[in-house]
Amino acid sequence: LKDKNVTNAAVFGVIPSTGEILIYQGSKDFFATDIDGQVDVIQALRQPWSTLKPFLYYLALENWAYPDDLIIDIESEYNSFQEDTVYISENYSLKEYGLVRLKKALWNSFNNASVRLAREIWLEKIYDFYVDIWFELTETAKHYGYSLVLWNPSITLESLVLWYRNLFEDLDNPSSYMLYDILSDPDNRDISFWVNSILSTRIPQAVKTGTSSDFRNNLVLSYHPDLVLWVWVGNNDNSSMKWVTGITGAGYIWQQVIEKATDLWYIRQGTIETPEGLVEKSYCLDENCFRTENIIASPKKKFYSAIADDIYASEDIFEELDSYEIEKLNQLWVDIQ
């Protein structure tokens, strides 16, 4: 990656059940003065970018959302909590996806959907959730605004790993299990990251990437019951890398470490039982139910949309849509029944 102006990297790996640290490398070379090698990236305050999104979606699942519920993804204006300004959401791809299943919105890292979901849940509630799980927040919810779910606040990346572990610590919890199922299924990455990307490993991991604006750094964060792994690449002087994203930068290092850990039996194939209150059921993608998917949901949960036929039922939408959103969806040829 040198020719892409990547001068430094850090890797941190923990056994979830015990907290034992297996890997701790805070920079490429402690003695490298040209890259400030004595700066421990693991302990430095940095913004986590899209690796924050699983915390938001976990909270949605805790509030009776399901992975196959529909949520809205359109560019819109939001309260910036600053006088005479508004916050405008925008996806990395600059595209709008209309109505999209929650699991696809999370894994494909749609900013529009995440900000809209945050508005539905309420920013103050998200802030309180962060505080409850020991996020070190120095400002108020209104100070961060909707960046609270996209890139702020600045935290130590060691803390991020430990909080990520806590999201999945109890896979008997339906919300933790559904989040794990979303992030470990490569089919959910098909829009932005491809199903067979560098993030697909022999033993699936609940993995999420994050890339800073201007490509200053990126990271990959993953969970498996045997290993939580975090990999960062970038530059201590915050200079921009040359078009290096999570899958083209940190992803290469992450994939090699995961596969080596699998070779050495640190990561083992196992069966995670579906917790009480959830079942695997068939989801009809078209009106005639010729195309189906196996999904995880409550036994009583029903879905009425046929998304392969562009048929969307209001009963499947997790959020309460306003008149502007309905009109915008109509402009995107999304018809809600």
Side-chain angles (χ1 to χ4, degrees):
L1 295 171
K2 281 184 178 180
D3 60 341
K4 296 181 180 179
N5 193 40
V6 180
T7 63
N8 201 10
V11 185
F12 185 51
V14 176
I15 297 177
S17 59
T18 64
E20 178 186 353
I21 296 172
L22 288 181
I23 311 166
Y24 192 113
Q25 183 158 342
S27 73
K28 187 181 72 170
D29 182 357
F30 181 82
F31 298 103
T33 57
D34 59 324
I35 62 166
D36 294 321
Q38 294 186 23
V39 173
D40 184 350
V41 175
I42 295 170
Q43 298 298 333
L45 290 174
R46 289 188 177 271
Q47 293 172 322
W49 298 94
S50 289
T51 54
L52 264 184
K53 288 174 182 169
F55 296 91
L56 167 66
Y57 283 78
Y58 174 86
L59 192 55
L61 296 169
E62 283 281 281
N63 283 270
W64 308 107
Y66 286 95
D68 291 275
D69 282 341
L70 297 170
I71 59 177
I72 191 170
D73 183 87
I74 61 172
E75 290 182 11
S76 192
E77 295 182 354
Y78 296 88
N79 188 352
S80 70
F81 306 102
Q82 298 179 17
E83 191 175 352
D84 299 326
T85 61
V86 296
Y87 177 81
I88 300 176
S89 68
E90 189 175 75
N91 282 333
Y92 177 78
S93 66
L94 303 181
K95 295 180 181 179
E96 299 172 284
Y97 295 91
L99 284 176
V100 61
R101 286 192 281 180
L102 182 147
K103 63 187 183 184
K104 299 279 188 175
L106 170 56
W107 226 119
N108 292 283
S109 216
F110 295 157
N111 291 336
N112 292 332
S114 297
V115 175
R116 180 59 182 83
L117 188 59
R119 194 187 87 178
E120 187 75 17
I121 295 173
W122 296 351
L123 205 58
E124 291 284 353
K125 189 170 185 177
I126 297 165
Y127 181 89
D128 291 341
F129 172 64
Y130 284 2
V131 171
D132 287 343
I133 60 174
W134 302 101
F135 271 46
E136 299 160 3
L137 302 177
T138 58
E139 305 291 345
T140 65
K142 289 184 177 180
H143 172 85
Y144 295 115
Y146 286 100
S147 67
L148 187 67
V149 299
L150 297 180
W151 67 84
N152 265 332
S154 293
I155 57 178
T156 68
L157 297 176
E158 178 186 35
S159 297
L160 179 65
V161 169
L162 299 179
W163 294 329
Y164 197 71
R165 178 193 68 175
N166 292 343
L167 280 184
F168 303 105
E169 191 171 26
D170 180 14
L171 288 176
D172 288 330
N173 174 357
S175 299
S176 296
Y177 180 88
M178 286 188 289
L179 186 67
Y180 181 82
D181 188 64
I182 291 170
L183 291 175
S184 59
D185 185 350
D187 287 341
N188 293 330
R189 310 169 195 155
D190 59 345
I191 300 173
S192 302
F193 292 88
W194 314 295
V195 172
N196 295 315
S197 72
I198 199 76
L199 302 175
S200 295
T201 51
R202 280 176 289 170
I203 298 178
Q205 315 287 311
V207 57
K208 186 72 184 74
T209 66
T211 301
S212 70
S213 60
D214 300 324
F215 299 95
R216 293 192 303 273
N217 56 76
N218 63 61
L219 54 154
V220 174
L221 181 60
S222 67
Y223 176 91
H224 181 276
D226 294 334
L227 179 65
V228 184
L229 182 64
W230 165 89
V231 177
W232 172 94
V233 299
N235 303 297
N236 283 349
D237 63 3
N238 280 326
S239 62
S240 295
M241 302 177 292
K242 297 178 181 177
W243 298 98
V244 177
T245 66
I247 58 173
T248 61
Y252 283 104
I253 300 173
W254 174 86
Q255 200 260 3
Q256 291 180 67
V257 176
I258 288 293
E259 296 296 6
K260 187 66 174 180
T262 302
D263 289 339
L264 296 174
W265 288 75
Y266 282 102
I267 298 175
R268 302 190 182 200
Q269 188 75 59
T271 301
I272 300 174
E273 298 294 333
T274 305
E276 185 176 350
L278 296 176
V279 295
E280 186 174 295
K281 59 199 307 182
S282 184
Y283 180 98
C284 293
L285 295 169
D286 57 63
E287 282 193 283
N288 296 314
C289 213
F290 292 143
R291 291 168 289 179
T292 64
E293 283 184 2
N294 289 333
I295 65 168
I296 298 294
S298 160
K300 297 181 180 179
K301 176 69 175 178
K302 293 182 180 180
F303 292 96
Y304 301 92
S305 301
I307 59 176
D309 292 335
D310 294 324
I311 297 173
Y312 302 94
S314 59
E315 297 93 332
D316 294 341
I317 302 174
F318 176 67
E319 298 151 338
E320 294 290 334
L321 305 186
D322 59 34
S323 58
Y324 167 79
E325 291 170 336
I326 293 172
E327 181 181 353
K328 187 67 181 289
L329 288 171
N330 288 336
Q331 292 172 4
L332 295 171
W333 303 98
V334 176
D335 184 25
I336 302 172
Q337 299 185 1

